[in-house]
Amino acid sequence: MVTVRLEPMTDAQYLDYRERAEEDYADSIAASGALPRPEARRKAREDHARLLPDGPATPGHHLWRVLDGDGGGDVGLLWLHVVQRSDGPHAFVYDVEVREQARRRGYGRAVMRAAERVCRDQGVVSIALNVFGHNTGARALYEQEGYEVTSVQMRKRL
């Protein structure tokens, strides 16, 4: 089984990530059918600006590079937000990425388990995420890792 190590993103790494992340998010929104491509791009830009006004220094948000635990280099990234609620801290995974050359080798599972370790260390009581319906591989991984569906949004194209 592969292992990973989380390393905080530098400001320069964040700028590179942000550009890619907005495009990837817009692609997913458009692919889901939720919005046409121009509106999806605008939503992606606005959501990132709202959620990360201070980039990696935004309070409660944690952005990490994911490195192979055996020194094999950069294999992906993780963006996690922790917020305090009346029953304790809760986490939300905004983004998890495994580089294409590292996919289908166990890194996705290792990243999710690393996120859980970080959350447990912070006393987090739950961890949630959103996954687009067309991302069947990610959905399967999350279900295998014990994530449960909490809501379903559906649409019918006419």
Side-chain angles (χ1 to χ4, degrees):
M1 180 153 100
V2 300
T3 60
V4 295
R5 179 170 58 87
L6 303 179
E7 180 179 287
M9 274 187 206
T10 65
D11 289 337
Q13 290 164 341
Y14 170 73
L15 292 176
D16 178 56
Y17 160 70
R18 170 102 177 237
E19 187 174 316
R20 282 190 343 268
E22 286 183 18
E23 283 300 310
D24 290 346
Y25 182 39
D27 288 346
S28 289
I29 294 169
S32 76
L35 292 171
R37 182 82 174 128
E39 287 93 334
R41 292 185 80 177
R42 183 171 42 259
K43 177 174 176 38
R45 190 172 43 255
E46 290 170 355
D47 284 356
H48 278 85
R50 176 179 49 79
L51 291 167
L52 293 168
D54 298 321
T58 303
H61 290 265
H62 308 278
L63 293 119
W64 293 285
R65 290 177 53 218
V66 177
L67 305 172
D68 179 89
D70 292 329
D74 190 333
V75 295
L77 61 89
L78 174 64
W79 171 12
L80 186 71
H81 180 226
V82 178
V83 62
Q84 185 66 39
R85 295 192 183 136
S86 63
D87 62 343
H90 291 259
F92 190 86
V93 177
Y94 275 103
D95 199 2
V96 60
E97 176 186 303
V98 175
R99 306 271 183 252
E100 192 150 349
Q101 68 275 14
R103 291 183 185 157
R104 314 248 1 118
R105 295 173 43 201
Y107 286 106
R109 189 172 313 280
V111 172
M112 296 310 295
R113 290 181 179 175
E116 289 179 24
R117 281 191 302 277
V118 166
C119 288
R120 282 189 185 97
D121 290 347
Q122 294 184 25
V124 169
V125 297
S126 76
I127 185 169
L129 52 80
N130 181 65
V131 60
F132 286 100
H134 65 273
N135 194 345
T136 56
R139 288 175 55 199
L141 170 66
Y142 302 144
E143 288 171 1
Q144 290 167 9
E145 289 299 304
Y147 287 79
E148 301 170 335
V149 174
T150 58
S151 68
V152 176
Q153 184 179 52
M154 299 174 73
R155 77 177 310 115
K156 179 179 180 179
R157 293 183 188 259
L158 301 177

